[in-house]
Amino acid sequence: MPRIAVAAVALTAALALTGCQGATTAAPTPVSSSTGTQSDGGFARHAEVGVVLLAAAATPGPSSGGVALPDRFRKDLTSAGFRPDVRVASASDPAADQRSAVRALVRSGAKVLLVEAADPAALTGALQTARDAGVVVVAIGDPLPGSGSGGTGVGPDYRVQGTDSDAALVGRAVAVVASLQRGEQPERG
């Protein structure tokens, strides 16, 4: 009888331990946070950086020098040593496209998201998921409003503004990403 009890306990323990193995999500490893409310630690060189833009960004504007914003982000982030994944929302349903893009970028392991929001309020859930996974969120242009319970909000960790030229905007955004990669806190603004 004691052998049966020992065998039963061993089998139960083995089955319990097999249920504890393996990853349960495809989310990236969170970066460290000094404040507990935002991700501000460093990350590996050549990390994926997600960029979520509006449909209008695909057309070179008067301050673009003839280069569309998605192309400029790809080129400048790649030159800085990152792996950019640039997503441009459709003009027909940009909010839904941006929500999908944010979720896909989080699943693919992006460490930073640069987001030019069509409807900031529509991104609240997707941005919360990103921040919960340790992804640093950087607003491009207009701010992403904070919301949520307890005053913690899901607004951006940082914001990059720019109305002077696309090149200057992208340059500031790449500088923020490079600073975050080194584990520094870029200036807010």
Side-chain angles (χ1 to χ4, degrees):
M1 183 75 163
R3 285 185 184 180
I4 294 173
V6 170
V9 170
L11 180 61
T12 302
L15 290 173
L17 290 175
T18 59
C20 297
Q21 295 178 3
T24 58
T25 67
T29 303
V31 293
S32 63
S33 175
S34 62
T35 65
T37 60
Q38 65 199 22
S39 302
D40 57 14
F43 48 86
R45 189 100 171 120
H46 308 293
E48 180 179 339
V49 175
V51 183
V52 181
L53 299 171
L54 298 173
T59 304
S63 69
S64 70
V67 179
L69 200 55
D71 296 332
R72 190 174 300 277
F73 268 110
R74 280 186 200 96
K75 178 184 171 288
D76 290 7
L77 284 166
T78 300
S79 294
F82 301 105
R83 289 182 301 116
D85 187 345
V86 180
R87 311 279 177 110
V88 178
S90 71
S92 62
D93 193 359
D97 284 352
Q98 288 188 322
R99 279 192 305 272
S100 295
V102 167
R103 289 185 180 116
L105 290 164
V106 170
R107 282 191 307 272
S108 69
K111 295 297 183 184
V112 178
L113 291 179
L114 302 168
V115 180
E116 178 188 34
D119 180 1
L123 292 177
T124 300
L127 293 178
Q128 183 63 57
T129 299
R131 294 195 66 213
D132 288 349
V135 178
V136 181
V137 177
V138 179
I140 298 174
D142 293 333
L144 298 171
S147 63
S149 61
T152 58
V154 293
D157 292 300
Y158 301 97
R159 180 175 172 210
V160 176
Q161 300 180 67
T163 56
D164 42 0
S165 74
D166 287 354
L169 172 70
V170 172
R172 284 191 292 278
V174 171
V176 166
V177 173
S179 180
L180 291 166
Q181 186 270 327
R182 293 187 302 268
E184 303 167 352
Q185 284 193 357
E187 291 193 27
R188 295 186 181 273

